[in-house]
Amino acid sequence: MRFHWFLPTTGDGRDVRTAIMSTDAHRSPERPGSVRYLSQVARAAEDAGFEAALTPVGAGCPDPWIVCAAVAQHTDRLKLLVAFRPGFTLPTLLAQQAQAFQQISGGRLLLNVVTGGDPVEQRAYGDFLDHDARYRRTAEFLQVLRRTWSGGPYDFDGEYYRVENGGLTDPLTTVPEIYFGGASPAAERVAADSADVALMWGEPPAAIAERAARLRSLASAQGRELRLGIRLHVIARDTAEEAWAEAGRLLAGMDPDRIEAAQRRFARFDSTGQNRMTALHGGDTRSLEVSPGLWAGVGLVREGAGTALVGAYGEVAELIREYAGLGIEEFVLSGWPHLEEAYRVGEYVLPRLAAVPV
């Protein structure tokens, strides 16, 4: 198993915040996402035993490339899982950006491909492609990106990109692994064809088992092996009672207007993954434990990953072990505040998983 943490680039605190702050525009974070603070979080994750840290991307986020390039200067071993939107830049240019990042970070770049699931946000960036067309473009983007990394010259003539005499002057020696998320049939085809790691948002084990089997089958049909990952929040304490009390405190901080505004926004998404997250709770604050130890309260106000593992340290470790038994190898975790919770999860949960192999 490989464990990663999260960099709260839009700010941090003791309540649940959205990834891009669209529904929290009226609330200032308790801890602004300065390079100084994010570097503290990154060093905590590094010291706690996490391999990498994921950054969000979106209209309300500072540019992940710039933020992660800065944070890389304040860490030694931690890899940076940089999120980006294919289609918002040329794959040939992104290949150069990746090369520069590898040079200044000592080869610590990972890439998280986010095709986008909010049509309103996409159009605000100037992107008017429909859902499936965005994924076709993503597939072509990744094809050109990998070809550019291998050097040149090469030519390419596709539906969305055309390149003449392309390629890096010096082939990229440390090629970043590509993480990819998406739950629709179009997305899963891209993952099977082009990704190194397919990331899923946390759903009950039965749902994850079904998706994991399908993704492995799709990759196998292409003659490929695909690693599987999951994105989850963690609320772990000395006792289950304390952990569930913390979940209750987080829920109490979500006022009804905030929940309603978030749910209205999520309803306009054409993202299958977001629809699956919303279906776990339906905007209702009751019955949020959707599977033993899996709490869907986060998704009432936060887009994307909307579930948390809740319980005593040993219980949370066993929940992670259950997902690992389904073939999940990579875990991207987080908790509020991200600084303290990086240490907590690293000190009390991860050692329990290292002690007894799956």
Side-chain angles (χ1 to χ4, degrees):
M1 289 183 282
R2 299 167 71 182
F3 294 97
H4 315 298
W5 198 242
F6 183 81
L7 285 183
T9 61
T10 61
D12 200 9
R14 298 186 180 276
D15 65 338
V16 177
R17 302 189 60 79
T18 64
I20 67 168
M21 292 175 61
S22 293
T23 58
D24 277 351
H26 63 292
R27 302 183 63 169
S28 298
E30 298 167 14
R31 305 176 189 180
S34 65
V35 171
R36 181 182 181 87
Y37 178 69
L38 295 174
S39 297
Q40 282 185 278
V41 175
R43 287 194 299 270
E46 187 172 73
D47 292 342
F50 292 96
E51 182 174 336
L54 171 68
T55 55
V57 65
C61 298
D63 182 82
W65 283 100
I66 295 173
V67 172
C68 288
V71 169
Q73 305 311 300
H74 299 278
T75 52
D76 299 315
R77 302 178 307 279
L78 190 75
K79 296 177 182 178
L80 285 307
L81 181 46
V82 179
F84 74 95
R85 293 276 175 85
F88 290 6
T89 188
L90 291 172
T92 47
L93 176 60
L94 192 132
Q96 286 184 292
Q97 291 176 296
Q99 185 179 52
F101 197 103
Q102 294 293 49
Q103 290 170 348
I104 67 171
S105 70
R108 290 187 284 140
L109 175 66
L110 304 172
L111 289 175
N112 181 38
V113 183
V114 181
T115 298
D118 179 356
V120 174
E121 185 185 49
Q122 296 291 125
R123 291 195 292 269
Y125 275 106
D127 181 20
F128 287 78
L129 293 184
D130 65 28
H131 176 278
D132 284 6
R134 292 199 300 271
Y135 280 100
R136 290 197 304 273
R137 180 179 61 190
T138 294
E140 195 170 294
F141 184 104
L142 293 175
Q143 185 179 356
V144 175
L145 178 65
R146 290 188 184 277
R147 183 63 188 85
T148 304
W149 279 337
S150 65
Y154 76 92
D155 296 336
F156 182 90
D157 190 0
E159 181 181 1
Y160 299 100
Y161 301 104
R162 182 179 179 184
V163 179
E164 292 183 359
N165 294 317
L168 296 177
T169 303
D170 297 312
L172 192 59
T173 54
T174 306
V175 175
E177 292 178 298
I178 292 177
Y179 291 65
F180 180 86
S184 68
E188 290 185 344
R189 286 193 296 270
V190 176
D193 290 345
S194 304
D196 297 302
V197 181
L199 276 179
M200 295 174 273
W201 290 330
E203 296 183 63
I208 293 297
E210 183 268 333
R211 288 203 61 208
R214 185 169 60 250
L215 283 162
R216 284 194 293 263
S217 177
L218 287 169
S220 178
Q222 300 299 320
R224 303 184 70 242
E225 290 187 1
L226 182 66
R227 295 203 311 278
L228 302 177
I230 195 167
R231 174 79 178 93
L232 288 158
H233 309 286
V234 175
I235 305 172
R237 295 294 185 270
D238 288 328
T239 67
E241 292 75 18
E242 290 175 282
W244 284 107
E246 176 63 10
R249 187 194 66 79
L250 292 173
L251 180 61
M254 306 175 196
D255 63 72
D257 289 343
R258 184 183 176 207
I259 294 172
E260 184 181 352
Q263 295 304 306
R264 283 199 307 270
R265 178 170 177 263
F266 301 160
R268 78 190 189 201
F269 284 24
D270 59 8
S271 163
T272 300
Q274 183 63 58
N275 291 341
R276 291 172 72 109
M277 285 286 100
T278 301
L280 293 175
H281 53 73
D284 193 335
T285 58
R286 301 165 295 178
S287 302
L288 290 170
E289 189 177 4
V290 295
S291 180
L294 185 67
W295 185 65
V298 175
L300 292 169
V301 295
R302 188 193 192 278
E303 70 179 78
T307 53
L309 301 178
V310 183
Y313 300 126
E315 292 172 337
V316 168
E318 286 307 310
L319 291 168
I320 290 173
R321 193 177 301 282
E322 182 178 2
Y323 284 110
L326 302 176
I328 305 301
E329 301 176 64
E330 310 231 359
F331 294 82
V332 183
L333 307 175
S334 57
W336 294 273
H338 291 76
L339 176 61
E340 289 90 331
E341 293 303 304
Y343 284 120
R344 185 191 301 276
V345 175
E347 291 174 4
Y348 297 112
V349 177
L350 298 193
R352 286 173 162 83
L353 293 160
V356 183
V358 175

